[in-house]
């Protein structure tokens, strides 16, 4: 008779432990998903900012060297994005996982006309040049 009571206590313990574990999982899973989405957004934002900084460095280099200068930058983009080019900065409007947009701006000194370039996912080559006899730099 004593063995039967011990078995029932073990079963009740396992049942309570299982229910507690299920409740814990139900409440923590949405928090984990939100945290992971936020972490991925931060990582993508930093990757895009790093890519924009590489392009800005080459723009500043060509601007510093003057007419006849040309530099090529290789960008390994994690996802496709559009780079808006203005005279004093590069910017990208990045869509986050929560459907908000984040504007990333990187300053640069140049005489580029306002334009946009598109970078696909994977390896991209961006060429910045200032042709001889031209007043404005080109980026493509």
């Amino acid at each position: 008779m004593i063995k039967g009571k011990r078995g029932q206590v073990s079963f009740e313990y396992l049942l309570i432990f299982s229910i507690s574990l299920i409740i814990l999982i139900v409440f923590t899973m949405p928090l984990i998903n939100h945290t992971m989405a936020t972490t991925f957004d931060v990582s993508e934002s930093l990757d895009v900012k790093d890519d924009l900084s590489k392009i800005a460095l080459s723009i500043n280099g060509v601007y510093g060297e003057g007419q006849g200068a040309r530099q090529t930058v290789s960008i390994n983009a994690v996802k496709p994005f559009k780079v808006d080019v203005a005279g004093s900065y590069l910017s990208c409007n990045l869509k986050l996982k929560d459907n908000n947009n984040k504007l990333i701006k990187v300053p640069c000194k140049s005489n580029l006309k306002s334009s946009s370039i598109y970078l696909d996912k994977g390896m991209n080559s961006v060429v910045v040049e200032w042709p001889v006899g031209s007043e404005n730099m080109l980026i493509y």
Side-chain angles (χ1 to χ4, degrees):
M1 195 79 175
I2 296 176
K3 285 187 177 182
K5 288 186 178 183
R6 287 185 186 167
Q8 182 178 353
V9 170
S10 296
F11 177 72
E12 289 172 356
Y13 173 75
L14 286 174
L15 187 65
I16 290 171
F17 180 73
S18 301
I19 291 172
S20 300
L21 192 59
I22 289 171
I23 290 173
L24 180 67
I25 289 171
V26 165
F27 285 113
T28 57
M29 268 316 229
L31 295 174
I32 290 172
N33 287 337
H34 176 69
T35 303
M36 286 178 58
T38 303
T39 303
F40 288 137
D41 283 341
V42 169
S43 176
E44 286 177 4
S45 297
L46 290 174
D47 288 340
V48 169
K49 187 168 185 175
D50 182 50
D51 293 341
L52 290 179
S53 295
K54 288 178 187 177
I55 297 170
L57 267 170
S58 72
I59 290 172
N60 289 337
V62 169
Y63 184 77
E65 292 174 17
Q67 291 183 350
R70 177 181 181 164
Q71 287 189 11
T72 302
V73 169
S74 294
I75 302 291
N76 190 4
V78 183
K79 66 187 240 181
F81 60 94
K82 179 178 109 176
V83 178
D84 295 317
V85 180
S88 61
Y89 64 88
L90 299 173
S91 65
C92 175
N93 198 2
L94 187 64
K95 186 165 186 157
L96 304 176
K97 302 250 189 279
D98 60 356
N99 292 328
N100 288 331
N101 291 326
K102 180 175 183 174
L103 182 66
I104 300 172
K105 278 185 165 183
V106 175
C108 66
K109 188 171 182 178
S110 73
N111 61 359
L112 285 166
K113 290 183 179 179
S114 296
S115 63
S116 296
I117 57 173
Y118 296 92
L119 299 177
D120 295 324
K121 182 178 180 179
M123 288 302 294
N124 296 281
S125 291
V126 178
V127 178
V128 180
E129 70 176 327
W130 192 348
V132 177
S134 176
E135 292 182 18
N136 293 322
M137 296 168 50
L138 301 173
I139 185 167
Y140 51 92

